[in-house]
Amino acid sequence: MERVVLVTGASGGVGLALCQRLLEEDGRIHLCIACRNDQKSEATRDLILAAHPAAQVSTVEVDLGNLASVLRVAQELRCRFQRLDFVYLNAGIMPNPHVNFKALWRGLLTGKLLHMLTTAEGVMTQTDRLNGDGLQEVFATNLFGHFILVRQLESLLCGNEKPSRLIWTSSSNARESAFSLSDYQHAKGQESYSSSKYATDLTSVVLNRKFNNQGLYSSVVCPGLVMSNMTYRILPVFLWKLLMPIMWLIRFFAKTYTLTPHNGAEAHVWLFKQKPESLDALVKYHSCTSGLGKNYVEPRKMDVDEETAEKFYQKLLELEKETLEKYSDLLD
Ligand SMILES: NC(=O)C1=CN([C@@H]2O[C@H](COP(=O)(O)OP(=O)(O)OC[C@H]3O[C@@H](n4cnc5c(N)ncnc54)[C@H](OP(=O)(O)O)[C@@H]3O)[C@@H](O)[C@H]2O)C=CC1
Ligand SMILES: CC(C)CCC[C@@H](C)[C@H]1CC[C@H]2C3=C(CC[C@]12C)[C@@]1(C)CCC(=O)[C@@H](C)[C@@H]1CC3
């Protein structure tokens, strides 16, 4: 029986490249692409089929920043499939980004420039806002929508003959100092992206603890710095054009400058080929590209405190309970 693979954020960037690369690895999978609306789904499906005419590609529509939409898509997936083998939780946003060039300059003087260029620590801020569900938009889209999706798909993910896998697209921008348990949606700060990615790392750690015994395994990856819609929105296009030669040069020193979505999907594809039992739940798998363009994967221990992870998980469960009460009419 073919493996069923669901990819969120499949309409472009890392998600689209991942879909293409997964079909190159195994043309027999059933690929289900999740996009925000049916035009995007159809356009993405056509693009994928143009390169892989014999592939089995189906589509679902979901806005991960809208809980009613997440509950509806979960119900649809439960009707359509009996099992999901891989779920790539890849969709993500970084709204209203702001780059602090002075900080980069200080980094140059203090010898921290390379670290800043690869993690954006102290370099980037964002302005977040509330979404229609009354949640902080970045937390809701990058983490909570995906969390609800996973929980609603438990019957397709747990207790199968073979283990099922969750693969979250996190980031090397995930940072403990940007996250706080008392403000886990990051309403008060200006590093909502970093906080949401740290929250993703914490969630994956706990999911492994709770679900490995039911045959569900979770991993986190960082695609490295990829030029995608998300990054193109950070600076004006002309500036990116000017910076591009410098970025290619930086790659000789910074292996996480993968730059293309194809390279960025390296860790996602590598994980597709690994036995889950051989993976470390406390490791983030980074896509890397050498100066000469060779792709490889680097495992790096995550900076996560397991007690904080457990406390945060309890908060997610409380928020989930509130959500399900609010949308009880959408549940079976
Ligand atoms: N680019 C980079 O350097 C890095 C990216 N990442 C992460 O990689 C992932 C992919 O990003 P990337 O490919 O770069 O960026 P893109 O902006 O190209 O892709 C993001 C994807 O997420 C989808 N998406 C955004 N919001 C929603 C939503 N509310 N509901 C459903 N889908 C949504 C987008 O759909 P739509 O087309 O409709 O907007 C798009 O398909 C993200 O999680 C990002 O945080 C991590 C590290 C570095
Ligand atoms: C390279 C140039 C000389 C200067 C570019 C300055 C900034 C625009 C970049 C420096 C570090 C970059 C970075 C990201 C975005 C663009 C920069 C801030 C990310 C935050 C993109 C999304 C991620 O998830 C991170 C892994 C990236 C970290 C580095």
Side-chain angles (χ1 to χ4, degrees), residues 88 165 265-274 279 285 297 299:
Y88 283 94
R165 311 275 300 277
E266 184 71 15
H268 304 68
V269 176
W270 181 82
L271 282 171
F272 182 68
K273 298 186 275 186
Q274 306 306 308
L279 301 169
Y285 295 90
V297 175

Side-chain angles (χ1 to χ4, degrees), residues 170-181:
S170 177
S171 166
S172 53
N173 187 241
R175 222 157 16 84
E176 188 181 11
S177 60
F179 175 84
S180 113
L181 270 180

